[in-house]
Amino acid sequence: MNSRISIVLARVMIIGTLAAAAVIAAGLVWYLSAHVGEAPGDHIFKGEPKYFENPVGMIQRALEPDVVGQRRSIVMIGVFLLLLNPPIRVALAGAGYLAGRDRLYAAISGIVLAVLLASFFW
Amino acid sequence: MNEPIFDLAVAAASFFAGLLGALIGLGGGIIVTPVLVLGFGIDIRYAMGASLCSVIATSSGAAAAYLRDGISNMRIGMFLCVATTIGAVCGAMLAVVLEQSLLAVIFGASLLATVILSLKKKSESPLLPAESDPLAKVLRLPDEMPGASGPVAYGVAAVVPGFIVMWVAGVLSGLLGIGSGAFKVLAMDRIMRLPFRVTTATSNFMIGVTAAASVGIYLKRGYLDPAIVAPVALGVLAGAFVGAKLLTVAPVKLLRSIFLVAVSVIALQMIARGLGISIG
């Protein structure tokens, strides 16, 4: 792994985290603005709706006007951006190894990426 | 209490958990979960989901800084991530079938173990490259790190035992929604005998990747409630950032002693909660 890739990787990680945090913060403010004066009912476990399970569901829900869960979907898109960070990190590292003709570590990165993707799309 | 105030209080508490985590070198995740459960009455599953997201956020920030400095050993990190990600998937699957009360007990016990691990002294002198495990040489794990007078080469011991302990660290991460940094450091520092700086830096890189392996399963089980994840992730991230800045000026030793006692009490309360005993 050469230092150029490390620096690119570091930059991608910081930008990715900040972008995700910004979307989460914006979604949270928008969501809370609709719930002023309501009692918090979130601490009792009831699972989450199906449309939060995958990014397509979140985005559809976020784009539909005045639907239940629209504002929360913005937060979930931010959370999803956050969760994308580690797989991107691994994929970039793998690409770096591949570019450096390091087959062993390209393969190891590939295994880690496969486990991550499998857990997401189970 | 109304919802915006509740969320603000959760964010403030998460900020302090992140700050504390950064100052005493425990992850924010292992502190924030008991705070949410014991302090706010949030279901442990939602608390674990939110904590795991905060772990991904802080680890990305911290790992970026270390990567830039060239201290992280990316090969070791990636190789051991095979163990931790597979462990994390196993742990997350176990978490969805275990009783909540049992989770609380395991959580408390792990928190106590974390405190004990962080009290122990760091390993003695690092290994010379020539003394490395033969498997480490095949995998090209020994590397060098920047030192005061040029690069310092170091070796890597006990690859297989280290890999197995890393798997266990992954299971704990997925099972409890924590970064399990203390257990990763245990594997790299004590067992594989890596220099402490390399251990810390590499562990930060791994924590986020490990957490990402179980968070997909949490997501599908409905553990990620946006209204809890958002204030927790933002709060811990901000707290960890400020904590890292304060690290150079704060009386770290004194803070550590005070907080380790406090964290032990929280751990015992978690265990008591799981066992259905109500104390203090």
Side-chain angles (χ1 to χ4, degrees):
Chain A
M1 173 75 33
N2 62 44
S3 57
R4 252 219 335 271
I5 292 170
S6 292
I7 288 166
V8 171
L9 213 54
R11 199 163 292 160
V12 168
M13 280 156 69
I14 289 174
I15 293 170
T17 307
L18 290 180
V23 175
I24 293 172
L28 181 66
V29 169
W30 196 39
Y31 164 72
L32 288 179
S33 68
H35 293 266
V36 177
E38 284 176 26
D42 283 322
H43 51 289
I44 297 149
F45 188 78
K46 29 185 201 302
E48 289 302 317
K50 285 277 170 221
Y51 47 81
F52 285 159
E53 275 183 15
N54 64 76
V56 180
M58 291 170 201
I59 292 169
Q60 278 176 348
R61 189 54 61 152
L63 292 177
E64 257 178 85
D66 298 324
V67 68
V68 174
Q70 187 197 12
R71 295 170 191 235
R72 283 151 54 94
S73 287
I74 305 282
V75 177
M76 283 308 278
I77 290 170
V79 171
F80 195 76
L81 285 178
L82 188 66
L83 308 189
L84 275 181
N85 268 291
I88 291 174
R89 201 185 310 174
V90 174
L92 277 179
Y97 287 124
L98 213 53
R101 301 188 178 279
D102 187 341
R103 281 201 203 145
L104 175 62
Y105 276 89
I108 289 175
S109 308
I111 294 171
V112 175
L113 190 60
V115 174
L116 288 183
L117 295 179
S119 76
F120 267 100
F121 297 107
W122 199 265
Chain B
M1 205 192 306
N2 92 51
E3 173 135 17
I5 297 170
F6 182 81
D7 274 25
L8 209 61
V10 168
S14 304
F15 177 84
F16 283 106
L19 187 77
L20 200 77
L23 282 179
I24 63 177
L26 297 175
I30 200 156
I31 303 173
V32 84
T33 299
V35 169
L36 295 176
V37 172
L38 299 170
F40 290 90
I42 291 172
D43 187 286
I44 192 168
R45 289 165 286 191
Y46 281 146
M48 282 161 45
S51 150
L52 202 61
C53 291
S54 76
V55 162
I56 294 177
T58 47
S59 122
S60 297
Y66 284 118
L67 264 180
R68 241 184 347 226
D69 298 341
I71 308 171
S72 306
N73 185 322
M74 281 286 291
R75 280 199 292 273
I76 291 185
M78 198 59 85
F79 170 67
L80 293 176
C81 270
V82 174
T84 59
T85 51
I86 292 172
V89 171
C90 300
M93 288 176 156
L94 199 58
V96 298
V97 295
L98 285 189
E99 283 289 318
Q100 273 185 76
S101 51
L102 186 56
L103 279 180
V105 173
I106 299 173
F107 197 103
S110 305
L111 190 48
L112 274 184
T114 303
V115 169
I116 293 165
L117 286 176
S118 70
L119 283 178
K120 285 202 174 172
K121 285 217 173 67
K122 322 237 140 64
S123 65
E124 353 53 280
S125 57
L127 218 57
L128 292 173
E131 297 170 322
S132 290
D133 182 335
L135 184 57
K137 289 178 188 161
V138 173
L139 290 164
R140 287 176 281 126
L141 298 180
D143 201 351
E144 39 186 45
M145 60 171 174
S149 50
V152 181
Y154 56 84
V156 180
V159 173
V160 172
F163 193 84
I164 293 168
V165 174
M166 277 295 174
W167 181 81
V168 175
V171 170
L172 284 174
S173 170
L175 184 63
L176 305 173
I178 58 175
S180 73
F183 297 94
K184 290 188 173 76
V185 169
L186 170 79
M188 286 190 275
D189 180 64
R190 289 311 139 64
I191 299 171
M192 301 175 77
R193 296 190 52 197
L194 287 164
F196 195 70
R197 283 164 71 208
V198 176
T199 295
T200 315
T202 309
S203 147
N204 262 304
F205 171 83
M206 296 177 61
I207 284 170
V209 178
T210 309
S214 39
V215 84
I217 295 164
Y218 280 25
L219 182 68
K220 258 167 257 145
R221 294 296 173 143
Y223 286 21
L224 302 191
D225 180 341
I228 297 172
V229 172
V232 170
L234 296 174
V236 172
L237 186 61
F241 180 77
V242 174
K245 297 273 168 208
L246 284 181
L247 210 49
T248 47
V249 292
V252 173
K253 267 202 171 153
L254 177 68
L255 285 176
R256 266 179 73 94
S257 322
I258 297 171
F259 289 140
L260 286 178
V261 173
V263 170
S264 309
V265 173
I266 292 175
L268 292 174
Q269 278 188 321
M270 243 357 227
I271 294 173
R273 165 69 65 99
L275 297 174
I277 311 160
S278 134
I279 48 169

